[in-house]
Amino acid sequence: MRYQNYFLIVLIGLQISCSEQGPANPLEAVLSSKDDRIKRVMDSIDQYEVQIRYTKIDRRNDSVIFNDFDFQVDESKYFYPASTVKFPATVTALEKLNEIDTLSRNTLFYVEGDSIKTTFARAIEEIFAVSDNAANNRLIEFIGQDNLNKMIRNRGVRPIRISHRLSTANADDIVTKPLIIYLNDSTTATTASIISASATPLQLKHIKKGKGFLSGDSLYSEPFDFGLKNYYPIHAQHELLKRVIFPNQFPKEKRFNLSKEQRTFLLKAMHTLPKNAGYDAKEYYDSYGKFFMYGDSEDVIPDHIKIFNKVGYAYGTLTDCAYIMDEKNKIDFMVTATILVNKDGIFNNDNYEYDEIGIPFLAQLGRELYHYELESNK
């Protein structure tokens, strides 16, 4: 009996050990690539603040299994999310529209003091097609910062702290501007302003970056402080993407309240290329907002490859959060990654190595993962 118990304990111990160890991390193989676009970053990895989460997707009967693999993912290490925050703005705008019987995504509106009339649908299309800042800010006026944060966190996507609009004079204003909404051709309604709490400084690692920054015409020889900026780390970005792409894999309380029609519209907007959204193909080439796989090229993206994503780039930081699907080869995977490219350590001077280092790294990362998926699918 004692021997039986001993072998039972050993067997359980082996099972736990295998479970904890899990499969080898594919990112280790991908990041050991000899391709110079990967190697030059990995050879000086400390200066680039790289974080990556890759999800291999397995299907068993009706279930979808997410196998997440990380490289340096740490929500306590800050990076500036830039335009990736537009993704949660679109999701929460659609969810809020569901709460108001008189509105739909095709409702015409304008922000008080703005001359542009638009619809919620058009704003969302502009966000994903060309990362339009004004379109994002109009949605913020509709939702309010605190409401946006609460709606995202309520679905289990956290941490997140959206505190400001993007590239506008009233970026930090905690009071939203009213929206003038067309209920029909002759009747309008005005929304009330929404007041959010003032942002408090973030207490995170790497919240102060570099050795100097420009403000106006002055150069300040001290680190740039991101303490009051938006905060949207890799884990939160990836979890939002999972819930939008695979809502049925989450309990009802963790899904966003989107109708089937809304979700279909959102997914289409996420993968639609600029030329198919009415933009000039020469100025806004296929990979304009697609860093993974195609970001370092202006070539046409094949029709059988769809990339549902949102990129962000500002202050030397490049980020992409994407679900990549190859319909011909029947593979799909998710990857979210960020990299900082600011060799001189000066912020706000627009002297960043986006095209030389950052985008080529993310593009090759996407290609390496894609080829790994192809090999795994054989």
Side-chain angles (χ1 to χ4, degrees):
M1 179 64 72
R2 284 186 300 173
Y3 288 110
Q4 289 177 339
N5 289 341
Y6 173 78
F7 285 119
L8 180 61
I9 292 170
V10 170
L11 179 59
I12 293 172
L14 286 173
Q15 290 174 335
I16 293 173
S17 176
C18 291
S19 175
E20 288 178 348
Q21 183 177 2
N25 189 340
L27 286 176
E28 294 178 4
V30 166
L31 294 174
S32 65
S33 169
K34 300 303 181 184
D35 189 287
D36 188 57
R37 287 161 289 200
I38 298 285
K39 190 174 184 301
R40 64 189 170 194
V41 170
M42 297 304 296
D43 285 348
S44 304
I45 192 64
D46 289 344
Q47 77 181 49
Y48 292 113
E49 298 187 10
V50 173
Q51 295 188 41
I52 306 167
R53 172 161 290 182
Y54 155 66
T55 296
K56 184 170 178 56
I57 299 168
D58 293 325
R59 290 173 173 80
R60 299 174 190 172
N61 299 321
D62 294 330
S63 297
V64 175
I65 309 299
F66 300 123
N67 295 303
D68 295 330
F69 300 94
D70 287 347
F71 177 75
Q72 297 193 152
V73 172
D74 186 346
E75 65 186 34
S76 72
K77 293 182 178 178
Y78 180 83
F79 67 89
Y80 183 65
S83 290
T84 60
V85 300
K86 297 171 184 175
F87 185 17
T90 65
V91 175
T92 52
L94 289 172
E95 196 171 42
K96 182 173 179 179
L97 286 172
N98 275 339
E99 301 171 358
I100 307 172
D101 292 338
T102 55
L103 302 183
S104 75
R105 69 173 185 270
N106 295 314
T107 297
L108 187 68
F109 75 94
Y110 67 91
V111 177
E112 187 175 78
D114 191 354
S115 60
I116 302 297
K117 294 179 182 178
T118 189
T119 65
F120 296 99
R122 185 55 185 165
I124 291 170
E125 290 168 344
E126 291 170 340
I127 282 171
F128 286 108
V130 296
S131 200
D132 190 278
N133 287 328
N136 171 77
N137 297 339
R138 292 182 185 108
L139 296 187
I140 295 297
E141 305 297 351
F142 175 59
I143 308 161
Q145 295 95 308
D146 284 357
N147 289 338
L148 187 157
N149 294 326
K150 182 180 179 181
M151 293 168 77
I152 293 293
R153 292 170 188 157
N154 282 348
R155 303 305 182 185
V157 177
R158 56 181 67 198
I160 184 171
R161 198 281 297 274
I162 307 304
S163 59
H164 62 86
R165 301 162 187 79
L166 301 173
S167 299
T168 183
N170 70 321
D172 302 320
D173 197 339
I174 61 173
V175 181
T176 64
K177 295 180 179 179
L179 269 60
I180 295 21
I181 294 174
Y182 287 81
L183 301 178
N184 54 50
D185 291 341
S186 59
T187 306
T188 62
T190 303
T191 64
S193 293
I194 304 168
I195 303 175
S196 296
S198 296
T200 57
L202 296 165
Q203 302 298 319
L204 297 166
K205 301 172 187 174
H206 299 174
I207 201 68
K208 294 182 179 180
K209 299 181 184 294
K211 62 183 181 181
F213 64 92
L214 280 177
S215 181
D217 296 326
S218 300
L219 175 63
Y220 295 85
S221 298
E222 59 185 85
F224 188 73
D225 190 348
F226 287 85
L228 296 177
K229 297 293 186 183
N230 292 330
Y231 172 50
Y232 184 36
I234 293 291
H235 175 73
Q237 294 196 26
H238 214 70
E239 286 300 305
L240 176 58
L241 183 66
K242 283 180 180 177
R243 283 159 172 77
V244 169
I245 302 295
F246 297 104
N248 292 335
Q249 301 307 309
F250 294 87
K252 187 174 181 180
E253 67 273 13
K254 300 299 182 183
R255 303 176 201 167
F256 289 93
N257 180 28
L258 304 180
S259 68
K260 182 178 179 180
E261 183 186 28
Q262 282 181 320
R263 180 172 169 272
T264 299
F265 162 76
L266 178 59
L267 292 176
K268 182 179 179 181
M270 290 177 70
H271 77 73
T272 296
L273 302 175
K275 65 187 178 187
N276 296 326
Y279 293 92
D280 179 71
K282 291 184 177 180
E283 181 179 1
Y284 298 102
Y285 42 89
D286 283 8
S287 64
Y288 182 83
K290 312 287 183 189
F291 292 160
F292 294 128
M293 295 182 64
Y294 300 99
D296 56 356
S297 168
E298 295 185 12
D299 292 344
V300 173
I301 297 177
D303 290 339
H304 66 275
I305 293 181
K306 290 184 170 58
I307 302 176
F308 304 75
N309 77 311
K310 187 68 199 78
V311 301
Y313 54 98
Y315 294 115
T317 301
L318 293 157
T319 306
D320 198 349
C321 174
Y323 168 64
I324 299 173
M325 178 174 65
D326 180 338
E327 295 175 319
K328 182 173 73 174
N329 292 293
K330 301 188 184 310
I331 61 173
D332 60 342
F333 62 97
M334 294 182 180
V335 57
T336 304
T338 187
I339 181 172
L340 173 66
V341 284
N342 187 10
K343 186 176 181 180
D344 65 11
I346 306 298
F347 284 87
N348 229 20
N349 64 351
D350 293 327
N351 185 25
Y352 309 118
E353 297 75 44
Y354 290 144
D355 295 329
E356 299 85 354
I357 296 176
I359 291 177
F361 172 79
L362 293 176
Q364 188 60 26
L365 173 65
R367 287 189 286 264
E368 297 276 356
L369 287 170
Y370 174 76
H371 290 304
Y372 169 81
E373 289 280 345
L374 282 177
E375 290 300 313
S376 298
N377 200 40
K378 288 181 178 178

